[in-house]
Amino acid sequence: MKQVNPPLRLIRSQFLTCMATRTVATEVIAPTRWSVESTIRFKFKAMQHSCRIVLIFAIGCLFIARPSTNATDDKPKGHELAVSTGKQFPELKPFDELMEAFVRDNEIPGASLAVAKDGRLVYARGFGYADVEQQQPVRPNSLFRIASISKTFTSVATLQLIEQGKLGLDTPVFGLLPHKPHLANGDKVDPRLGQVTIAHLLRHQGGWDRKVTIDPLFHAIEIASVLGKQPPATHDDVIRFMMGWPLDFDPGERYVYSNLGYCLLGRVIEQITGRSYGDYMVKDFLNPIGIVSMCLGKTLLHDRAKNEVKYYPKGELLGIAVTGDAVGSKVSWPYGAWSIESFDSLGGWIASAPDLVRFGSAVDRFEETSILKKKTVEAMFERPAKGHFGNDEKGKPDATYYACGWSVRPRKDGKANRWHTGALSGTSTILVLRHDGLCWAALFNTNQTLDEKRPCKKIDPLIHKAADAVTNWPSHDLFAE
């Protein structure tokens, strides 16, 4: 899968010729701020008129959640066992067999799986290597970039602030923020920005279509140049820049997955609480539900956190550095081709599989944990009134829809499966809340299987099958250890 399509390569190439140097992080010099912006806009407008080019940002697009479906067979190809860590339980052998075969047969460097039953952590194991070169195995507490699963945390935190009466689902977003739009000569702010609400952002209905224009979180060099700053562009820079561009559709009219929307929600949390997003989330959101190891990730390899895995990209291996000491040069995609620091609320967290399961179980068992009230949970999982991935073009309800930070698949018995996935170069993740009290998270330190599929997508039905094969769930709780 191509990481950057030809038109964006051309734009980036044109931009890099304006830099004082390609190989070191020095001052970025552009002929004029407007010439770079005009080049970007011209390319995208030409694509709009032709209607033949679809922008695909594989490195940039935090993977849209996919349906959690019934299982299919995955037969092991050999007898070699992958290295594994964590406690084993005979009753849960189907999970061991699945993970050992999946890691081996798909040439996965490292993986972690955690499973909870009715709020109890019953399974937490690591498979393969956190660091292949150093032969360091993945352990149950190994930390992975969770990519877009970060959005579920931001969603629940936002809904908590709504419960506290500090804002509402219908609150206009840009009335809360202090950002001043960056406007090119003669441009005006799109008046529809004033119509964008908290609910629109939570449901990816804010009005931005990254296939029509761009996903700005992955244009850190270009945006920094337009603003006359040194790269990478921060999330505040991205917001200012995009406030100067027109929306692609009326807010609330349809669903289009938007990283920018969840970037904005992070800034809303900061404005409401008066604190940085990371500080508030750790101290007031994560710690109260017992999560102490999660933190915001760092882009560069030398800043890797304690217990964090190393990431091994597949597909295109190199991208243009937007941060670090080699801005403009080619680097490994996971370590400089984008700035994870600017992803915070949309895709910046690192966590262990048990961390995700603890959070998921808290949401699933909200009446016990009080993470949210019943009315709020119902609103969080409610089907949106408009837009594909909620209701199709003819008004018929889709089998699966995106609610407020979660994908939802309703069942005929009134229950539902809820989940979110995440993907970046070198990362693939999934968190599932199943209808029967099961909650699991699977994390991988690569982005493709041997047959070029996303590990989170390929393993999803197989975990369902393994869970169905368990006939006697143990009574222990690894959370208590």
Side-chain angles (χ1 to χ4, degrees):
M1 181 158 40
K2 298 296 183 183
Q3 300 282 7
V4 181
N5 57 340
L8 289 182
R9 288 186 186 278
L10 176 61
I11 293 169
R12 191 180 292 279
S13 175
Q14 291 172 337
F15 169 78
L16 290 175
T17 62
C18 302
M19 298 181 64
T21 176
R22 285 180 60 102
T23 57
V24 294
T26 57
E27 183 180 1
V28 176
I29 302 175
T32 68
R33 297 183 186 180
W34 313 121
S35 64
V36 177
E37 183 165 13
S38 297
T39 299
I40 298 172
R41 291 194 180 203
F42 175 79
K43 293 296 179 181
F44 291 122
K45 288 180 179 178
M47 294 173 203
Q48 289 175 330
H49 292 318
S50 69
C51 296
R52 292 193 299 264
I53 301 175
V54 177
L55 301 182
I56 303 173
F57 308 103
I59 167 190
C61 297
L62 298 178
F63 186 59
I64 299 174
R66 297 292 186 183
S68 188
T69 57
N70 293 328
T72 57
D73 290 332
D74 183 34
K75 298 180 181 179
K77 301 175 182 178
H79 301 288
E80 182 182 354
L81 294 179
V83 61
S84 60
T85 62
K87 291 185 177 181
Q88 289 182 271
F89 303 95
E91 308 98 311
L92 304 178
K93 186 177 180 181
F95 294 119
D96 290 334
E97 293 176 337
L98 164 61
M99 293 300 294
E100 288 167 356
F102 191 86
V103 168
R104 179 192 65 235
D105 297 345
N106 290 283
E107 298 184 0
I108 302 291
S112 182
L113 175 66
V115 182
K117 172 66 172 173
D118 299 328
R120 293 175 291 104
L121 182 64
V122 295
Y123 187 94
R125 303 201 67 212
F127 299 86
Y129 292 102
D131 187 324
V132 173
E133 294 77 12
Q134 299 299 319
Q135 294 289 283
Q136 297 174 349
V138 174
R139 302 191 180 280
N141 66 338
S142 292
L143 302 175
F144 292 71
R145 290 173 176 172
I146 65 171
S148 278
I149 294 177
S150 301
K151 292 179 173 69
T152 64
F153 288 82
T154 299
S155 171
V156 175
T158 301
L159 292 169
Q160 284 184 344
L161 294 175
I162 291 175
E163 283 190 345
Q164 296 167 19
K166 297 179 179 179
L167 70 162
L169 283 173
D170 296 328
T171 299
V173 172
F174 289 97
L176 299 172
L177 302 180
H179 301 73
K180 302 299 181 183
H182 164 80
L183 296 170
N185 290 339
D187 282 355
K188 297 181 179 180
V189 174
D190 189 330
R192 293 176 297 176
L193 282 180
Q195 302 171 18
V196 180
T197 66
I198 298 297
H200 291 148
L201 300 187
L202 290 169
R203 294 170 178 151
H204 295 299
Q205 296 179 331
W208 299 280
D209 188 337
R210 61 189 183 184
K211 293 183 180 180
V212 175
T213 52
I214 58 173
D215 189 335
L217 275 304
F218 299 96
H219 290 274
I221 289 181
E222 296 92 332
I223 291 176
S225 176
V226 169
L227 297 180
K229 302 181 67 174
Q230 199 157 339
T234 66
H235 40 60
D236 289 324
D237 295 332
V238 167
I239 291 170
R240 288 190 56 232
F241 180 81
M242 291 304 292
M243 287 176 70
W245 280 36
L247 294 177
D248 301 308
F249 58 91
D250 291 341
E253 281 301 307
R254 55 191 173 97
Y255 162 95
V256 180
Y257 196 83
S258 174
N259 290 316
L260 176 61
Y262 273 79
C263 174
L264 287 163
L265 286 172
R267 314 293 69 81
V268 168
I269 290 174
E270 290 179 334
Q271 287 300 307
I272 295 298
T273 65
R275 294 156 60 189
S276 72
Y277 169 80
D279 180 69
Y280 174 79
M281 291 294 291
V282 168
K283 295 178 181 177
D284 287 47
F285 184 83
L286 297 173
N287 289 354
I289 59 175
I291 297 176
V292 296
S293 64
M294 275 185 69
C295 60
L296 290 172
K298 301 291 185 181
T299 301
L300 302 179
L301 181 59
H302 62 68
D303 292 327
R304 182 169 53 147
K306 181 181 179 181
N307 294 329
E308 185 179 3
V309 301
K310 190 174 179 180
Y311 304 101
Y312 297 90
K314 293 184 180 180
E316 286 199 31
L317 305 181
L318 301 177
I320 300 298
V322 305
T323 188
D325 295 330
V327 172
S329 299
K330 288 186 176 181
V331 295
S332 176
W333 275 117
Y335 294 112
W338 26 257
S339 173
I340 200 169
E341 286 83 355
S342 66
F343 293 174
D344 57 3
S345 53
L346 65 102
W349 290 98
I350 61 174
S352 68
D355 287 336
L356 296 188
V357 168
R358 187 185 288 272
F359 163 70
S361 296
V363 171
D364 200 31
R365 303 176 70 80
F366 63 90
E367 292 176 330
E368 297 177 11
T369 63
S370 300
I371 191 170
L372 289 173
K373 298 176 181 178
K374 182 179 180 180
K375 183 178 180 180
T376 306
V377 171
E378 291 173 349
M380 180 170 65
F381 292 131
E382 184 180 24
R383 181 186 295 273
K386 293 183 178 180
H388 178 62
F389 213 30
N391 290 282
D392 67 18
E393 295 179 358
K394 297 180 181 179
K396 180 180 178 181
D398 293 332
T400 296
Y401 63 88
Y402 196 94
C404 294
W406 298 85
S407 291
V408 182
R409 178 184 291 275
R411 289 166 46 89
K412 293 181 180 180
D413 61 6
K415 299 180 180 180
N417 290 345
R418 298 134 295 165
W419 72 96
H420 211 293
T421 60
L424 287 167
S425 181
T427 307
S428 184
T429 59
I430 184 169
L431 170 64
V432 175
L433 280 62
R434 203 163 83 156
H435 62 90
D436 55 0
L438 287 176
C439 174
W440 62 71
L443 310 177
F444 303 91
N445 61 349
T446 191
N447 55 289
Q448 284 186 11
T449 59
L450 193 61
D451 53 354
E452 299 185 350
K453 295 180 180 179
R454 297 183 185 272
C456 64
K457 179 180 179 181
K458 186 172 181 178
I459 203 169
D460 177 32
L462 305 178
I463 300 178
H464 279 276
K465 180 180 179 181
D468 292 340
V470 176
T471 58
N472 182 28
W473 289 92
S475 61
H476 62 258
D477 186 1
L478 299 178
F479 282 142
E481 296 184 1

